[in-house]
Amino acid sequence: MTKPKVLLLGEIEYAHDAWNALSDIATLITPQSTTRPAFLQECTSGQLDGVHTIFRTFDSGSLTGPWDAELIAALPSSLRFCCHNGAGYDAIDVAACSARTPPLLVSNCPKAVDDATADAALFLLLGALRGFNSSMLALREGKWRGEPAPPLGHDPRGKVLGILGMGGIGRNLKRKCDALGMRTIYHNRKPLGAEEAAGAEYVEFDELLARADVVSLNLPLNPHTRHIISHAQLAKMKPGVVIVNTARGGVLDEEALVQALDSGHVRSCGLDVYDDEPNVHSGLIRNENVMLLPHMGTYTLETMAAMEERVVVNVREAVTKGRLVDLVVEQRGLV
Ligand SMILES: O=CC(=O)O
């Protein structure tokens, strides 16, 4: 019997053994093309016919561009599963995948990312609260803490952490911030059960904005959450608030944030993600007070390896059982 084809979009960097072991059950192939137009042509000319499952890396967006309606329509009709390596799958138009007959099912990679992303959020939170960035820069310029020295920072103890989007990463961050003596309030579409909330207080969105000393964005980017934090929401926050974003740049209106930083209403922020990566708003770059990372939330050896291993688990499940372990939430009613 011929084995189903599994197409790799992007590179396997760590889980080589797990990936290669898939050749027991599938024929592993890679595309010939290196640009989106060429990839679309490769799809529509029938060269990828018979592909059953795709392993898609985050970085493969530089080859294919986003998985929008055009690309999804061009994918071979044999394709049943897309296993995406990343917790966030905003680059994939899931509605267009669901609209195919039969639907193209998508998995993401939650859980494996939780610790490293929450650690990055914690680093940004502490750096922004304490005002470390300008002094770190000044020291390297031979100016010790800076000239003039920066204002005093703030302790996390006793401060209210407002988590918008209390999924795996938000809950992990909450546990870490418990150890710092912070109190957590959160907002989700629905309150969590007592065990998952672990003492965090559920509040409405506006109450979170009004009460938090630190707002951490941990929610997925989708059409409902795009610019969920903009001028009006920033205005409802406490003067001197600190904002941390390790989710996706698009949930935060960067222009509005820059204005709120410039006015002093937002004291500082810690960002790992940007609306137009790798481009960063010039108002953030010039502001030495803010903490900026170049999308490094999951950038650790252990986490990257665990993510690839998990995506391989999804590919194996797709090929052998015709289902996905980490099916995205939007498609759970479809199967
Ligand atoms: O950004 C990283 C991820 O989505 O896992």
Side-chain angles (χ1 to χ4, degrees), residues 8-10 31-40 42 58-66 71:
L8 174 62
L9 289 182
Q32 302 298 309
S33 40
T34 53
T35 63
R36 178 178 169 102
F39 180 69
L40 289 173
E42 198 174 344
F58 183 88
D59 289 340
S60 70
S62 61
L63 158 70
T64 63
L71 183 131

Side-chain angles (χ1 to χ4, degrees), residues 15 22 30 56 76 81 97 99 146 159 181 210 225 262 298-299 316 326 331 334:
L22 285 173
T30 50
R56 177 189 192 274
F81 299 98
C97 292
K159 302 292 185 302
T225 62
D262 287 348
T298 56
Y299 200 72
R316 187 170 281 283
D326 298 308
Q331 294 188 320
L334 282 183

Side-chain angles (χ1 to χ4, degrees), residues 72-126:
I72 290 161
L75 290 168
S77 59
S78 53
L79 185 68
R80 297 285 175 275
F81 299 98
C82 169
C83 303
H84 170 69
N85 187 10
Y89 47 95
D90 46 288
I92 302 175
D93 182 342
V94 175
C97 292
S98 302
R100 279 171 57 119
T101 316
L104 168 55
L105 298 180
V106 179
S107 60
N108 69 332
C109 188
K111 293 191 188 81
V113 305
D114 291 354
D115 248 324
T117 310
D119 289 347
L122 184 58
F123 168 82
L124 292 169
L125 182 159
L126 282 174

Side-chain angles (χ1 to χ4, degrees), residues 115-162:
D115 248 324
T117 310
D119 289 347
L122 184 58
F123 168 82
L124 292 169
L125 182 159
L126 282 174
L129 255 185
R130 295 288 301 266
F132 282 152
N133 197 61
S134 62
S135 297
M136 282 163 56
L137 293 173
L139 178 140
R140 288 183 188 273
E141 285 168 6
K143 295 181 185 157
W144 196 230
R145 289 184 186 139
E147 291 160 9
L152 290 172
H154 291 273
D155 292 325
R157 183 162 302 281
K159 302 292 185 302
V160 175
L161 169 64

Side-chain angles (χ1 to χ4, degrees), residues 43 148 219 268 328:
C43 288
L219 71 175
S268 184
V328 296

Side-chain angles (χ1 to χ4, degrees), residues 91-325:
I92 302 175
D93 182 342
V94 175
C97 292
S98 302
R100 279 171 57 119
T101 316
L104 168 55
L105 298 180
V106 179
S107 60
N108 69 332
C109 188
K111 293 191 188 81
V113 305
D114 291 354
D115 248 324
T117 310
D119 289 347
L122 184 58
F123 168 82
L124 292 169
L125 182 159
L126 282 174
L129 255 185
R130 295 288 301 266
F132 282 152
N133 197 61
S134 62
S135 297
M136 282 163 56
L137 293 173
L139 178 140
R140 288 183 188 273
E141 285 168 6
K143 295 181 185 157
W144 196 230
R145 289 184 186 139
E147 291 160 9
L152 290 172
H154 291 273
D155 292 325
R157 183 162 302 281
K159 302 292 185 302
V160 175
L161 169 64
I163 296 183
L164 190 55
M166 187 81 148
I169 298 167
R171 295 198 297 275
N172 190 304
L173 178 64
K174 184 257 175 210
R175 281 200 297 282
K176 288 171 172 147
C177 290
D178 284 350
L180 302 178
M182 299 185 85
R183 283 179 297 124
T184 300
I185 60 177
Y186 75 99
H187 180 73
N188 274 1
R189 277 167 303 173
K190 282 193 246 150
L192 298 172
E195 197 175 327
E196 280 193 321
E201 181 190 350
Y202 180 80
V203 295
E204 291 304 326
F205 181 48
D206 278 357
E207 185 176 348
L208 183 140
L209 301 178
R211 279 178 56 194
D213 298 300
V214 177
V215 174
S216 177
L217 304 177
N218 298 101
L219 71 175
L221 175 63
N222 57 43
H224 307 291
T225 62
R226 182 158 185 82
H227 287 188
I228 194 167
I229 301 296
S230 187
H231 295 280
Q233 294 72 32
L234 290 164
K236 289 178 184 167
M237 293 183 192
K238 283 184 176 175
V241 68
V242 164
I243 298 176
V244 175
N245 188 8
T246 53
R248 282 291 182 267
V251 301
L252 182 58
D253 177 346
E254 276 171 11
E255 182 56 42
L257 174 67
V258 166
Q259 287 179 26
L261 283 162
D262 287 348
S263 76
H265 182 67
V266 172
R267 180 188 311 279
S268 184
C269 67
L271 308 178
D272 185 41
V273 286
Y274 308 89
D275 212 354
D276 183 29
E277 296 178 11
N279 301 310
V280 180
H281 194 297
S282 59
L284 296 169
I285 299 279
R286 70 168 150 74
N287 188 335
E288 295 196 347
N289 194 33
V290 304
M291 297 282 291
L292 305 177
L293 285 176
H295 203 145
M296 295 181 84
T298 56
Y299 200 72
T300 73
L301 181 59
E302 296 81 358
T303 293
M304 291 290 214
M307 290 170 72
E308 286 188 355
E309 301 270 354
R310 184 68 183 187
V311 182
V312 170
V313 167
N314 276 282
V315 172
R316 187 170 281 283
E317 192 85 355
V319 171
T320 58
K321 303 204 180 125
R323 62 180 192 219
L324 293 168
V325 189

